[in-house]
Amino acid sequence: MAPYESDRTAGAEGLPDEADDVRVGRRRAARYVVPVAVVGVAAATIGLVPALADSGDPSLPKITAEQLIEKIAKSDVQQLSGTVKVSTDLGLPSLGGLESGLLSGATEGSGGSSADPQSKLMELASGTHTVRVAADGPDKAKVSVLENAAEYSIIHNGNDVWAYDSKSNEVYHSTAPAAEKGEEKAPKDVPTTPKELADEALKSVDDTTSVTVDGTAQVAGRDAYKLLIKPKQSGSTVGAITVAVDAKTGVPLKFTLVPTSGGAAVVDAGFTQVAFAKPAASTFDFTPPKGAKVTEDKDGKESKESKAPESVPGHGDLGKGLDGLKTIGKGWSTIAEFDTGGQGMPSGSSSEGGDVSGFLNSLGDHVKGKFGSGTVFSTRLVNALITDDGKVYAGAVTKDALVKAANAAH
């Protein structure tokens, strides 16, 4: 293995002179977001990031962490195709009937179409999935989630965005303005690629973060450097993030997030096959199959803005509370604080809230402090404390960090 400058820390002041270009590059590919059904706003505090599986140990020229970050930011690959394996392990129990209710409720805002990305892609929040991707510039992209004897695809071609669920033979159609000035305009509910996930992770690189080059790997048959990103602060549930970066193109090929609790990665997503040739033009063609139910997006807004389904219990209160959102701390230990305007957890005394209350109580740990009492809902990555008076403290931090923040706020 070639030597690496692995003892350097990249902060806001540690980036090269082309820092502005780097930051612009980080934002370039933020077009797809995988919705995660974990305690509302808590999921939005951290991006989904996948685990790195090494195969081989190629010898590559020496490179610094700053140079590798710059290489990612300046990568301008416009054409590619390949297969991505995505595995998610947030440590959530089976949601059973409640999960079905949430997913069915998510379709109501779009005419009940099973092809609507807003609800369909919530399935990627757990389990292992195979995803095929293809892109030809900013206005042509296709993402297909392969299932047993079925396929779900989203195709962006110019101003049109099509989603097709072969299992139900349903189609969802919306429009998206063509890309301007290099900005990506594809729908935000499409599964995240390693490149886009890397961009999100690099937004967290500041003086609270250690960034080093941690050797090399071979991913999907290509030589890659490994960029290791670790929080310096205590209290975060994020142990480390590893990004495998293609040595030739600078494109992230795999991405890793390991929690501080150890064990398997929280999310694993990376190419098993990849090619940087121009995909066939027919890849992005789509005509609704005969007999398919086609749902038209009435106002076109879904393709520009991802909205939480209004039928989710408590969504209305959460929406009001977000107006008063504020943060505690900084960096990886940042905690979002807001008031739902409600009365804390649903009470089991009413028939309407009994099932929900029982389910939520089975997931949470009851805690007490200066704030009174509340319940902490935990995953392997994102945790949230909901106090009995309706205050919410959420973030990729430990339960103790949430309780400490709540005590300090009272």
Side-chain angles (χ1 to χ4, degrees):
M1 182 188 303
Y4 296 90
E5 295 190 25
S6 60
D7 58 346
R8 303 184 66 174
T9 298
E13 71 285 354
L15 296 174
D17 293 338
E18 298 89 345
D20 289 339
D21 290 339
V22 172
R23 284 187 286 269
V24 170
R26 291 176 189 166
R27 296 191 297 265
R28 182 180 297 155
R31 51 183 169 165
Y32 304 145
V33 175
V34 179
V36 183
V38 186
V39 198
V41 77
T45 65
I46 189 77
L48 282 181
V49 247
L52 176 66
D54 295 342
S55 59
D57 191 12
S59 179
L60 294 171
K62 186 171 82 170
I63 191 170
T64 67
E66 290 83 2
Q67 288 169 337
L68 190 52
I69 291 174
E70 182 180 0
K71 190 177 186 70
I72 297 171
K74 289 189 173 182
S75 176
D76 194 28
V77 171
Q78 297 288 314
Q79 300 168 333
L80 66 81
S81 59
T83 302
V84 178
K85 183 179 179 181
V86 181
S87 297
T88 309
D89 183 7
L90 287 167
L92 289 170
S94 174
L95 300 183
L98 181 60
E99 179 183 50
S100 300
L102 292 177
L103 294 178
S104 62
T107 64
E108 294 178 5
S110 54
S113 174
S114 69
D116 176 18
Q118 185 171 311
S119 59
K120 182 66 178 180
L121 293 176
M122 291 179 73
E123 296 173 9
L124 293 179
S126 64
T128 298
H129 306 270
T130 299
V131 181
R132 288 180 183 160
V133 299
D136 183 8
D139 289 331
K140 291 185 178 181
K142 182 177 181 179
V143 177
S144 299
V145 182
L146 308 183
E147 302 173 340
N148 293 331
E151 180 174 317
Y152 176 77
S153 296
I154 296 180
I155 304 99
H156 177 209
N157 194 342
N159 290 338
D160 289 305
V161 178
W162 297 93
Y164 176 58
D165 183 3
S166 69
K167 183 183 295 185
S168 63
N169 198 28
E170 292 193 22
V171 176
Y172 188 75
H173 176 242
S174 63
T175 58
E180 300 175 359
K181 298 181 181 179
E183 258 187 71
E184 304 290 356
K185 296 294 184 180
K188 292 182 179 180
D189 284 327
V190 181
T192 333
T193 66
K195 162 66 174 170
E196 290 144 2
L197 288 168
D199 285 344
E200 289 301 311
L202 289 174
K203 289 178 182 178
S204 300
V205 174
D206 56 18
D207 58 3
T208 68
T209 310
S210 168
V211 183
T212 60
V213 178
D214 189 34
T216 62
Q218 193 169 73
V219 179
R222 298 184 66 88
D223 292 347
Y225 293 102
K226 295 193 296 183
L227 186 69
L228 181 63
I229 304 170
K230 298 180 69 174
K232 291 181 180 180
Q233 303 161 298
S234 61
S236 174
T237 55
V238 177
I241 293 172
T242 305
V243 183
V245 183
D246 186 72
K248 184 175 181 180
T249 66
V251 173
L253 300 174
K254 279 202 171 188
F255 212 47
T256 271
L257 188 149
V258 177
T260 53
S261 58
V266 172
V267 181
D268 175 276
F271 284 101
T272 57
Q273 295 178 325
V274 66
F276 296 104
K278 180 183 177 71
S282 59
T283 302
F284 310 104
D285 293 337
F286 181 80
T287 300
K290 184 178 180 179
K293 175 187 174 182
V294 180
T295 300
E296 290 285 344
D297 176 11
K298 295 180 181 180
D299 56 14
K301 291 181 180 179
E302 279 86 351
S303 63
K304 302 175 187 177
E305 183 178 358
S306 178
K307 300 177 181 178
E310 292 187 358
S311 57
V312 174
H315 170 71
D317 290 338
L318 285 175
K320 295 175 184 177
L322 290 179
D323 291 337
L325 178 68
K326 60 182 179 179
T327 59
I328 301 171
K330 69 173 187 174
W332 299 89
S333 299
T334 300
I335 295 172
E337 176 191 358
F338 62 96
D339 192 335
T340 65
Q343 298 298 319
M345 295 305 303
S347 171
S349 59
S350 70
S351 59
E352 181 178 354
D355 291 341
V356 174
S357 176
F359 173 77
L360 293 177
N361 284 334
S362 70
L363 296 182
D365 294 329
H366 297 287
V367 294
K368 293 184 178 181
K370 295 180 181 178
F371 53 86
S373 60
T375 307
V376 174
F377 299 96
S378 301
T379 71
R380 297 179 65 218
L381 185 63
V382 179
N383 296 320
L385 164 61
I386 303 178
T387 63
D388 288 349
D389 62 358
K391 299 287 196 311
V392 176
Y393 302 86
V397 298
T398 63
K399 178 177 74 173
D400 290 343
L402 291 177
V403 171
K404 182 177 179 180
N407 281 333
H410 285 73

